[in-house]
Amino acid sequence: MEQSILEVKNLKKYFPIKSGLIAKTRAYVHAVDGVDFYLKNGETLGLVGESGCGKSTTGRLILRLLRPTAGEIRFNGRDISRLDRFRMKALRRDMQLIFQDPYASLNPRMTVGDIISEALRIHRMGNRSEIQDRTLALIKKVGLHTDHQRRYPHEFSGGQRQRIGIARALALNPKLIVADEPVSALDVSIQAQVINLLQDLKSEFNLSYLFIAHDLSVVEYMSDRVAVMYLGKIVEMASGNQLYTNPKHPYTEALLSAVPIPNPRLEKKRQILEGDVPSPIHPPRGCRFHTRCIYRQSECERFEPRINDSGNGHFVACPVRAGGEFSQQ
């Protein structure tokens, strides 16, 4: 296997639920509950799943915007899961975030030039002239005009604002970018432009992306490998081609069956999931998907499935459909 820029092992994040006069912890939200994956240099890993499954929380944990409850986050071989904010500051140059909302993620009181150059000033990457040159180069790189540097975010469209956010993420020459649903708030035509821009930048700067999204068509185009997340756990992970042509987990099958076909004359058989997503406060015992699964067996309700390599790097957490074992804990 090629050298990995990122390795995540048994990553967990539980948010406490407090109540009462003394704010006693009554329960926990199991937002991320034992996630394992790796990301190779120059690769794009797509992370998909329903809203509330823990995708964005996983991205924020990797960037250490949140402190993990348990597990390891290894960036370039170094465990960063317990580093304090002072030691994390130097690593911020190598890992950046593209936010989902291009309207809320930009400071309305700052000009575009100040927004993009802020990180350069904080990390003291050059004198005033060098920072100015770098800022103008980034503005042009993302398809904007240099005179835009003096304007404010409210003067731009959604697509232009997202380009500003991308330029800001590129300012420190990062190696890893977590893109948290970067096109979900944009019009379809603008989505295509931003996706192509991200692809071009990946090739030019040798970037590695963790691409978080719920639009499976976008993920298929962007990603080398895809991980499917359900209720805080990864249930399937494979190359894009393997996952889309031969899904093995029932949840992945249901997700792919919901992708519309751009041909009104063709009918597609939908796999409608039963019930609602269980509460992450009290997740089901055993397989978390068994309450909605049409293939469930008695073991699924009692034992948690282990994620297993079913061949060619296709990992699936479903012994019923893809072989493997149940955990006996």
Side-chain angles (χ1 to χ4, degrees):
M1 184 179 71
E2 296 178 33
Q3 182 180 1
S4 297
I5 189 172
L6 179 69
E7 293 181 56
V8 174
K9 297 180 181 178
N10 197 31
L11 185 62
K12 298 181 180 181
K13 180 61 181 180
Y14 299 162
F15 293 100
I17 300 175
K18 299 183 178 183
S19 62
L21 293 175
I22 60 173
K24 184 178 179 180
T25 299
R26 304 294 181 180
Y28 289 91
V29 176
H30 297 70
V32 178
D33 200 4
V35 166
D36 298 85
F37 63 85
Y38 64 89
L39 178 62
K40 293 182 287 188
N41 280 309
E43 183 185 36
T44 299
L45 175 66
L47 187 60
V48 302
E50 293 172 287
S51 297
C53 72
K55 306 185 302 296
S56 294
T57 302
T58 299
R60 281 161 171 73
L61 287 169
I62 289 167
L63 296 173
R64 283 299 315 278
L65 299 177
L66 296 172
R67 190 177 185 88
T69 302
E72 290 184 7
I73 305 166
R74 291 195 170 274
F75 181 73
N76 278 334
R78 180 186 182 186
D79 187 1
I80 66 170
S81 57
R82 295 294 179 267
L83 296 184
D84 58 34
R85 64 188 184 94
F86 296 104
R87 286 185 289 175
M88 277 299 302
K89 182 178 178 180
L91 288 175
R92 300 295 182 198
R93 298 184 183 187
D94 294 330
M95 49 174 66
Q96 289 291 309
L97 173 65
I98 299 174
F99 293 91
Q100 175 180 358
D101 189 348
Y103 295 89
S105 61
L106 301 178
N107 189 333
R109 296 177 180 271
M110 296 176 68
T111 65
V112 169
D114 288 338
I115 288 171
I116 295 172
S117 64
E118 182 180 24
L120 295 169
R121 295 192 302 272
I122 290 172
H123 289 270
R124 300 179 181 177
M125 297 183 66
N127 56 37
R128 179 178 296 183
S129 176
E130 290 170 336
I131 290 175
Q132 173 71 3
D133 291 343
R134 173 69 175 164
T135 301
L136 292 176
L138 287 168
I139 289 174
K140 290 190 288 185
K141 183 66 66 177
V142 298
L144 298 175
H145 298 294
T146 54
D147 59 351
H148 287 164
Q149 66 170 321
R150 298 182 182 87
R151 299 185 186 180
Y152 290 86
H154 72 270
E155 301 179 65
F156 296 90
S157 67
Q160 289 174 319
R161 292 188 198 193
Q162 196 60 292
R163 290 174 185 268
I164 296 167
I166 293 170
R168 176 177 59 185
L170 289 173
L172 298 177
N173 285 320
K175 299 172 183 174
L176 169 67
I177 288 183
V178 175
D180 187 7
E181 304 201 30
V183 297
S184 62
L186 306 179
D187 294 337
V188 175
S189 59
I190 306 302
Q191 283 185 13
Q193 296 175 18
V194 173
I195 288 169
N196 288 330
L197 172 63
L198 290 172
Q199 289 283 52
D200 293 340
L201 294 173
K202 175 189 173 183
S203 301
E204 182 173 351
F205 294 100
N206 192 29
L207 298 170
S208 300
Y209 287 141
L210 177 65
F211 190 85
I212 300 169
H214 59 262
D215 188 328
L216 293 173
S217 300
V218 172
V219 171
E220 182 180 17
Y221 179 76
M222 279 291 299
S223 305
D224 301 300
R225 288 185 301 123
V226 181
V228 180
M229 203 166 181
Y230 181 79
L231 207 61
K233 288 185 175 291
I234 288 178
V235 297
E236 186 166 5
M237 183 165 55
S239 68
N241 183 60
Q242 283 180 312
L243 191 90
Y244 282 82
T245 58
N246 185 28
K248 295 187 177 182
H249 195 279
Y251 178 60
T252 309
E253 291 179 355
L255 284 181
L256 291 176
S257 75
V259 177
I261 298 176
N263 188 336
R265 294 184 177 84
L266 294 179
E267 292 188 8
K268 187 174 185 178
K269 185 179 180 181
R270 287 286 311 275
Q271 182 176 325
I272 307 298
L273 295 177
E274 303 174 2
D276 297 321
V277 180
S279 170
I281 302 173
H282 301 290
R285 183 186 176 190
C287 175
R288 298 194 172 186
F289 188 63
H290 83 260
T291 59
R292 309 172 75 190
C293 182
I294 60 175
Y295 305 107
R296 63 179 175 265
Q297 298 181 1
S298 59
E299 291 90 346
C300 303
E301 301 175 18
R302 293 181 293 152
F303 305 116
E304 185 174 329
R306 293 175 178 168
I307 192 160
N308 176 66
D309 189 350
S310 62
N312 298 319
H314 193 152
F315 293 88
V316 189
C318 183
V320 174
R321 295 281 289 160
E325 300 177 344
F326 285 99
S327 171
Q328 297 303 308
Q329 297 180 354

